Structures are given as structure tokens and as C-alpha cells.
Amino acid sequence: MPRHPDAQVAVITPTQLDPRRRHYLTDLYRSLTLQSIPFEWVIAPNGPDADPAVIPSLIANDPRVRIRPRPRPGAAPARNLALNDVTAPYTCFVDDDDLLPPDSLAVRYHRAVETGLGWVAGWSADLHLDGTLSTWVCPTPVGRHEPGDVWTYWPSPASKPPLGHTMLLARTELARACGGHGGLWKGEDYVYVMSISGRSAGELLPVVTYHYRDHEHQMTEDTAYRDVDELAARTFAFLQGESERALRRAGANATEGLASAGRS
């Protein structure tokens, strides 16, 4: 596996290389070249029709890029297996049709290094067809959050999740230890958010670090996407977050009990 000793952040992008949205990949690449810290980019084409040969040579020939085809379909396994190729200490996930503002990687990376936190997130903004942006102020408030606290801003599986997984920049070892995005065929991003925020303290910054492109071929905007399976995935992640928090609190109480017994 080639190593990139200067890379501070790994960017992982699963893609089906859908011809209706494939041109967005070049836009994403250009936004990555504007980042102010060294990065590595792992592109994971997945599915039987995702032919890596159609990736523009401008991208494929960049030494910072590794292309790892995954013939079987599924964004979750593509993201998880791409972690095998990561050498950078921090990792984030970016979808193939979205963009990063120029300070996206640096502002989260420097804050994570400065604080020693397991994850740092920024806000996401919708990028509309006319080029305007509208920021999504997520349910999780700005500031530091202890392990398990992010779940408390998710009232029920049917409500908006507390954070978006592409908003997170996390320590690579934490992403691996949490099992990445699980194995769900949809809604795997909820699992990742609950895993990362449930296992480690982190911080949400009041700055936009992600541009979510609003267009007609967004898979999650298709009316067929929000079906019983998607709700089941939300429920799975919701219960996971609840359990992560309960187990952590139980462990903390047990530790405090032992400490009190030792002092008595």
C-alpha cells in the first residue's frame, strides 16, 4: 500500500460513477486541491457498473489519489474497506457530488490536534442550483460534547439526526475501532455518527465545512429512499446511540462507586 507521509487527513469517497452525476467528481477534486493541508483521497467505486476507467485522468494520475474498486454494491462496505488504505491520522467522508470549502480540512484538523478530541465537526450548507448556499444549523449545538451527549439531541428516529456524517472529521483509529459505517445498505451514516460521538468527546464548530449539492439525482432526496428500511436504519442507529450512552454512564458510575469505596 503506497504511503503518503505528509498527509494529515484522508478523504474517503464511495461512488457508483453514475453517468448522470459523474462530472461532479471533478468539481470535488478541484475543491480538494484548494485545501491548505496535505491530504490523501481514497476513491471507492462500488457496484457492477462502477468502472474505474471512466474516472478522469486528471484525478487518477494525482499521486494523492488511490482508486480502490469494490465490485459488490454498497456505500457502507465501500467506505469501511477504504479505511484499509488510509495512512493519515484523521479521516473524513465526502460524497462524490459534494464540495469542500477551502478551509474545510484545516479548520477541523487543527482544532482536533489542539484539543486532542476524537472528532471535530463543522456545519453543512446546501449548495443550490443557482450557486447560493443555505446553512443547516443541526440539532446538536455548537461547542464541546462528551461521549454519548450528541444522541441526546435526537428526540426520536423519525426526527432529523443530530449531525451529518460528512460533517465529522475523526481520528482514523477511532473510525476503525467503531467499525466504520456498519453494514447497512442504507442509513449507514446514522450508525457512523452514533459510533463516533458515542465513543469519544468532540466539538462542533460554528463554521461551514461541507457543501451538500442539491440536485435532482441525489439518492437521499428520491421519494423511494425514505421507506421502511430507511426508518429501520434510523431506529437501529437511535437505539445504538441510546445504548452507547447508557453503557458509558453505567461504567462511569461503577468507577465512581469503586473510588468511593476506596476512600471510605
Side-chain angles (χ1 to χ4, degrees):
M1 180 173 63
R3 303 188 67 85
H4 298 272
D6 296 330
Q8 302 303 318
V9 175
V11 177
I12 292 177
T13 300
T15 178
Q16 295 180 359
L17 295 174
D18 186 330
R20 298 172 301 173
R21 48 189 273 169
R22 198 162 55 211
H23 59 287
Y24 293 139
L25 195 64
T26 301
D27 292 343
L28 171 56
Y29 172 72
R30 291 187 177 121
S31 78
L32 283 170
T33 63
L34 297 176
Q35 301 301 308
S36 58
I37 61 172
F39 67 89
E40 57 185 357
W41 189 19
V42 184
I43 303 174
N46 63 95
D49 299 323
D51 182 3
V54 304
I55 295 175
S57 58
L58 175 71
I59 298 173
N61 294 334
D62 190 317
R64 296 169 294 187
V65 175
R66 288 195 291 280
I67 299 172
R68 294 292 186 260
R70 310 295 180 194
R72 294 184 179 181
R79 290 187 180 107
N80 292 345
L81 296 177
L83 277 168
N84 295 343
D85 295 300
V86 169
T87 64
Y90 292 87
T91 296
C92 67
F93 295 89
V94 181
D95 289 339
D96 63 355
D97 52 347
D98 295 333
L99 299 170
L100 298 182
D103 61 349
S104 173
L105 299 183
V107 69
R108 289 178 289 172
Y109 167 77
H110 289 307
R111 185 59 178 166
V113 172
E114 176 187 350
T115 60
L117 293 169
W119 60 271
V120 173
W123 282 331
S124 176
D126 291 339
L127 175 60
H128 303 291
L129 293 176
D130 62 1
T132 59
L133 293 166
S134 56
T135 301
W136 176 52
V137 179
C138 61
T140 301
V142 166
R144 179 186 170 107
H145 300 282
E146 298 305 316
D149 285 358
V150 167
W151 173 81
T152 65
Y153 303 107
W154 197 5
S156 74
S159 60
K160 199 79 169 176
L163 279 176
H165 80 128
T166 54
M167 298 159 64
L168 294 166
L169 182 138
R171 291 197 62 85
T172 300
E173 62 185 5
L174 177 61
R176 287 178 172 141
C178 289
H181 284 69
L184 300 177
W185 75 278
K186 64 165 58 176
E188 73 284 347
D189 48 337
Y190 313 134
V191 171
Y192 185 71
V193 170
M194 289 296 98
S195 296
I196 294 294
S197 65
R199 298 282 185 91
S200 176
E203 183 177 6
L204 175 62
L205 304 177
V207 294
V208 171
T209 59
Y210 195 83
H211 292 172
Y212 173 88
R213 193 189 296 269
D214 182 16
H215 64 90
E216 62 179 334
H217 300 302
Q218 275 282 6
M219 289 180 288
T220 55
E221 296 304 320
D222 191 312
T223 54
Y225 183 83
R226 300 186 183 279
D227 58 8
V228 293
D229 284 340
E230 199 267 347
L231 179 58
R234 288 190 182 215
T235 302
F236 179 88
F238 181 86
L239 295 175
Q240 175 198 9
E242 182 181 47
S243 298
E244 286 271 15
R245 181 173 172 80
L247 288 171
R248 182 168 288 277
R249 289 168 69 87
N253 290 338
T255 299
E256 178 60 29
L258 289 173
S260 297
R263 290 193 296 268
S264 61

